[in-house]
Amino acid sequence: QNLVIAAGDGPPGPEPEVCGDPATLISAIQSAGGSSPLLGEAVSIEGIVVGDFQDAVGANGDLNGFFVQEEDSDSDGDPATSEGIFLYQGSNPDIDVNVGDKVRVSGLVDEFFNMTQVDSLTNLLVCDTGLTLPAATEIVLPLESSGVLEAVEGMLVTFPQELVISEYFDFDRYGEIVLTSARLYQPTAVFDPETPESALLAASNALNQVLLDDGRTVENPDPAIPPNGEEFTLDN
């Protein structure tokens, strides 16, 4: 007997995910290495938005996505693995999120400019709003090693010390400021070039700085935004 399969016939598809369903821990995606062991795999994660940089709708920039961090109760307790990750959404996000939202997102694990992220997002759900953010991790300059920053990639951090603006050459064009724990000197201003002492000072300087960016990708942004987040004026 000949049969015709009408549209919609056949076995039902999988049920859509909902908040609270099993999820992959962000720490498992990040791992303790420089790149994710789950590269290219499909994952579903849940966490709290700690940085909103959605293009066109974000209040802090236009990086086409947002940062999510695992709730403190779901942390793996390993300081070598990051609990945060960037979710790349594109320039026309379907759903607006805000800092403090708990979200559930499915997507593919990827690496972009040496930063682990989840992209090709689907099933973006806002599970709750107005939540307390995960505890910020303290970072102290100078760093013990470059791996210190890899271990907090995508996470909310705080610097408990007073920092110094050591360079603002790219502030007006790219909104970037170099912060350090104290005034740094160019190695060749203190030692002869190509000497061991000059190389040691260069390595020391590299561990004693962090680049503060305004989250905007346009060149020569107007208005300029200094570290306090308010417009740069003659009074500020």
Side-chain angles (χ1 to χ4, degrees):
Q1 182 177 6
N2 295 326
L3 299 176
V4 175
I5 303 298
D9 287 353
E15 291 292 328
E17 295 182 5
V18 297
C19 295
D21 279 351
T24 302
L25 292 177
I26 295 175
S27 56
I29 299 173
Q30 288 282 14
S31 76
S35 61
S36 174
L38 303 181
L39 183 63
E41 294 189 19
V43 296
S44 294
I45 65 171
E46 288 192 8
I48 298 178
V49 177
V50 293
D52 177 14
F53 297 91
Q54 291 176 297
D55 195 17
V57 295
N60 303 310
D62 58 357
L63 302 183
N64 292 341
F66 52 97
F67 290 89
V68 168
Q69 186 167 330
E70 202 75 66
E71 294 174 281
D72 289 335
S73 59
D74 290 329
S75 170
D76 69 348
D78 184 355
T81 58
S82 171
E83 300 289 341
I85 197 165
F86 183 70
L87 304 184
Y88 178 77
Q89 202 175 12
S91 58
N92 295 300
D94 294 328
I95 297 180
D96 183 20
V97 302
N98 297 285
V99 172
D101 287 352
K102 181 177 180 179
V103 298
R104 181 182 181 87
V105 183
S106 301
L108 300 178
V109 179
D110 197 5
E111 296 285 339
F112 186 74
F113 283 93
N114 297 318
M115 186 177 76
T116 303
Q117 66 179 27
V118 176
D119 53 30
S120 301
L121 304 186
T122 60
N123 195 45
L124 174 54
L125 304 173
V126 177
C127 306
D128 205 348
T129 60
L131 300 180
T132 300
L133 300 185
T137 300
E138 284 195 354
I139 302 295
V140 178
L141 295 180
L143 305 171
E144 295 181 1
S145 69
S146 58
V148 171
L149 297 184
E150 176 68 29
V152 293
E153 179 183 88
M155 294 177 61
L156 189 65
V157 301
T158 183
F159 291 83
Q161 66 203 112
E162 183 177 273
L163 299 179
V164 177
I165 297 175
S166 285
E167 181 186 316
Y168 51 90
F169 181 79
D170 284 330
F171 172 60
D172 57 341
R173 185 173 184 184
Y174 298 119
E176 296 176 346
I177 297 174
V178 177
L179 303 177
T180 63
S181 68
R183 181 177 181 181
L184 303 184
Y185 291 90
Q186 293 289 347
T188 53
V190 184
F191 301 107
D192 289 332
E194 300 182 4
T195 62
E197 292 82 2
S198 179
L200 285 173
L201 183 55
S204 175
N205 286 350
L207 295 175
N208 194 9
Q209 58 184 282
V210 62
L211 182 67
L212 178 66
D213 188 270
D214 67 355
R216 294 179 290 177
T217 59
V218 297
E219 293 188 24
N220 306 305
D222 183 20
I225 304 295
N228 63 5
E230 299 178 3
E231 182 177 346
F232 185 88
T233 67
L234 291 178
D235 298 318
N236 179 40

